[in-house]
Amino acid sequence: MKIENVKTNVVPSITWNWLKSNNDIVTVDAQFSTAVPAISNEKNVQISEGCTINKILSADFGSGVFNKTNGKVKDLRNQDGTTNPKEDSSKIPDYSNHPLLQVLNQTVNNPQMITISKSFEEPLILTFDFDKPSAAAQIIYAKENTKGTIILIYKGNGPASILQTKVYAESYANIHLIKAQLLDSGALHFDDTQVFCEENASVKFTQIELGASHVNSGLHVNLNGYQSSFDSKVAYLCQNDQILDMNHIVYHYGKKSECNMQVDGTLKDNAQKAYRGTIDLKKGCCGAKGHEMEETLLLSPKTVNKSLPVILCDEEDVEGEHGATIGRLSSDILFYMQSRGISEKEAEVLMSRAKIQAAVDLIPDEQVKEQIGTFLEKLI
């Protein structure tokens, strides 16, 4: 099955087309089959097939990877300047007919349902070892007042993979979702994450991107409840001809909701990276705070970096901050390193490692840290 020139990772707020930053375009030629992970520490959760919270996290709930351009939005204004709330549904894009999402839904009939009914300390670990074109989907349902950590690891030499993870956090739930992408070179990888937070729910998201040749990473977060929060830390290393394309979107609906997104990484050789980070402060989210920051280290003049930090605002009593730092190692840092016998090449390796290590330190499992460290050793 071949899907040609399909748009992925479409930014919610379109910018000038000539910048070529609004989306990624990919071609997929593979016959996918369902991937089944190896599971560790499953005694702490209930794992089943099927979805009991489909009304909240349905196919058209929203997506990062499978986001689609809404096209022209119907003018909802009446002649007196007011709007008709009954027409608001026309603003909602239809995600369900995206070609890649259709492939995922046709391949994975029943997503894995991971239900967290009580808090646990030892993290649940799902390890995917891809040896062929694969697709998988998980729904993480954290019930009220629960706490836990879920780790997803992607390995193998399969040519293509599509994964989608949905997280529904009930009131006062506290979830840490970790994704480590350690695929072999040559892989085409799509990884979509969706998060829905109720009142005082908190979700932390840690993502490490190291392998594959072309990666689409999407994030769609709905902070629906009062004082709900989302905190993400993404680290990456792109080298040779790797392409990493990210589209991270956080919608603030709940009053006093908060988000903090941090993306750090290194580009080498002919690598390309695009980061679209959108914070959308919706009407009614009084007291909400949104913050995003990106730091990119460039180690070659041939790299291509695209950064599109966006803040959209429909509310007055809110705070929104965004920024990006992009460049080479400063002369001060190089002088400091060289004065201590560290060459420029060694300094570049140390700084690249430091960005990855900052995210790895957030993982509460030593074996997983060791796997990432071993994979990183092969790269630099």
Side-chain angles (χ1 to χ4, degrees), residues 196-225:
F196 191 99
C197 292
E198 297 284 17
E199 178 182 351
N200 283 287
S202 174
V203 172
K204 293 182 179 179
F205 180 63
T206 302
Q207 188 172 38
I208 298 170
E209 297 282 359
L210 295 179
S213 61
H214 192 148
V215 175
N216 271 194
S217 169
L219 181 65
H220 177 108
V221 179
N222 186 323
L223 297 177
N224 187 68

Side-chain angles (χ1 to χ4, degrees), residues 195-198 201 221-226 228-230 250-255 257-259 289:
V195 176
F196 191 99
C197 292
E198 297 284 17
V221 179
N222 186 323
L223 297 177
N224 187 68
Y226 172 74
S228 55
S229 65
F230 175 78
V250 178
Y251 294 97
H252 288 260
Y253 288 96
K255 293 182 178 180
S257 54
E258 294 188 20
C259 83
K289 298 179 181 179

Side-chain angles (χ1 to χ4, degrees), residues 236-242 265-272 296-304 345 348-349 352 379-380:
Y236 62 87
L237 171 63
C238 292
Q239 56 187 349
N240 301 320
D241 296 313
Q242 282 183 298
T266 303
L267 295 178
K268 299 172 58 178
D269 307 319
N270 298 308
Q272 301 179 43
T296 305
L297 178 61
L298 305 178
L299 299 182
S300 168
K302 296 181 181 180
T303 60
V304 176
K345 183 68 175 180
E348 291 177 351
V349 171
S352 300
L379 298 180
I380 56 177

Side-chain angles (χ1 to χ4, degrees), residues 73-348:
V73 178
K74 180 180 178 181
D75 190 343
L76 305 179
R77 294 173 296 178
N78 299 319
Q79 291 185 353
D80 61 358
T82 61
T83 58
N84 184 356
K86 294 182 180 180
E87 298 289 341
D88 283 350
S89 60
S90 65
K91 293 183 177 181
I92 302 174
D94 182 12
Y95 305 94
S96 58
N97 62 356
H98 191 284
L100 289 177
L101 185 57
Q102 289 181 338
V103 170
L104 176 65
N105 292 334
Q106 291 168 5
T107 306
V108 184
N109 295 321
N110 293 307
Q112 274 190 321
M113 184 76 172
I114 301 171
T115 303
I116 302 173
S117 301
K118 60 180 181 179
S119 299
F120 57 90
E121 294 294 333
E122 198 172 15
L124 171 70
I125 303 174
L126 283 72
T127 302
F128 293 86
D129 196 347
F130 302 129
D131 58 358
K132 57 187 176 181
S134 304
Q138 311 86 35
I139 298 171
I140 300 169
Y141 177 23
K143 293 189 175 181
E144 189 172 346
N145 282 309
T146 57
K147 181 179 181 180
T149 299
I150 299 95
I151 302 175
L152 278 67
I153 304 172
Y154 309 135
K155 302 189 300 181
N157 57 6
S161 52
I162 305 176
L163 296 105
Q164 186 175 65
T165 305
K166 300 181 179 183
V167 180
Y168 174 48
E170 285 190 347
S171 300
Y172 295 92
N174 189 334
I175 299 300
H176 188 187
L177 176 64
I178 300 167
K179 292 189 172 185
Q181 188 268 108
L182 311 177
L183 295 170
D184 289 357
S185 61
L188 175 62
H189 181 64
F190 302 94
D191 190 359
D192 189 53
T193 306
Q194 302 177 8
V195 176
F196 191 99
C197 292
E198 297 284 17
E199 178 182 351
N200 283 287
S202 174
V203 172
K204 293 182 179 179
F205 180 63
T206 302
Q207 188 172 38
I208 298 170
E209 297 282 359
L210 295 179
S213 61
H214 192 148
V215 175
N216 271 194
S217 169
L219 181 65
H220 177 108
V221 179
N222 186 323
L223 297 177
N224 187 68
Y226 172 74
Q227 288 190 336
S228 55
S229 65
F230 175 78
D231 193 333
S232 67
K233 175 72 172 179
V234 178
Y236 62 87
L237 171 63
C238 292
Q239 56 187 349
N240 301 320
D241 296 313
Q242 282 183 298
I243 299 174
L244 173 60
D245 196 279
M246 296 176 280
N247 187 35
H248 295 180
I249 312 164
V250 178
Y251 294 97
H252 288 260
Y253 288 96
K255 293 182 178 180
K256 296 188 177 182
S257 54
E258 294 188 20
C259 83
N260 182 54
M261 296 191 289
Q262 178 77 36
V263 178
D264 295 328
T266 303
L267 295 178
K268 299 172 58 178
D269 307 319
N270 298 308
Q272 301 179 43
K273 184 231 74 183
Y275 172 66
R276 305 170 192 86
T278 302
I279 297 173
D280 196 345
L281 299 156
K282 295 294 188 179
K283 185 70 175 178
C285 67
C286 300
K289 298 179 181 179
H291 175 81
E292 62 174 321
M293 177 58 69
E294 179 191 9
E295 295 182 7
T296 305
L297 178 61
L298 305 178
L299 299 182
S300 168
K302 296 181 181 180
T303 60
V304 176
N305 178 75
K306 297 179 182 179
S307 298
L308 191 62
V310 177
I311 292 182
L312 306 175
C313 187
D314 288 329
E315 183 57 69
E316 294 183 0
D317 184 19
V318 293
E319 295 180 21
E321 297 178 328
H322 64 168
T325 302
I326 303 163
R328 295 180 57 84
L329 287 176
S330 69
S331 57
D332 291 341
I333 292 178
L334 286 176
F335 177 78
Y336 177 84
M337 296 282 192
Q338 290 172 346
S339 67
R340 283 153 179 78
I342 300 173
S343 68
E344 181 175 353
K345 183 68 175 180
E346 291 172 327
E348 291 177 351

Side-chain angles (χ1 to χ4, degrees), residues 14-35:
I14 303 299
T15 185
W16 298 104
N17 286 329
W18 61 269
L19 294 173
K20 297 182 180 180
S21 299
N22 291 324
N23 57 266
D24 192 17
I25 297 178
V26 297
T27 294
V28 182
D29 187 6
Q31 188 66 42
F32 290 88
S33 59
T34 304

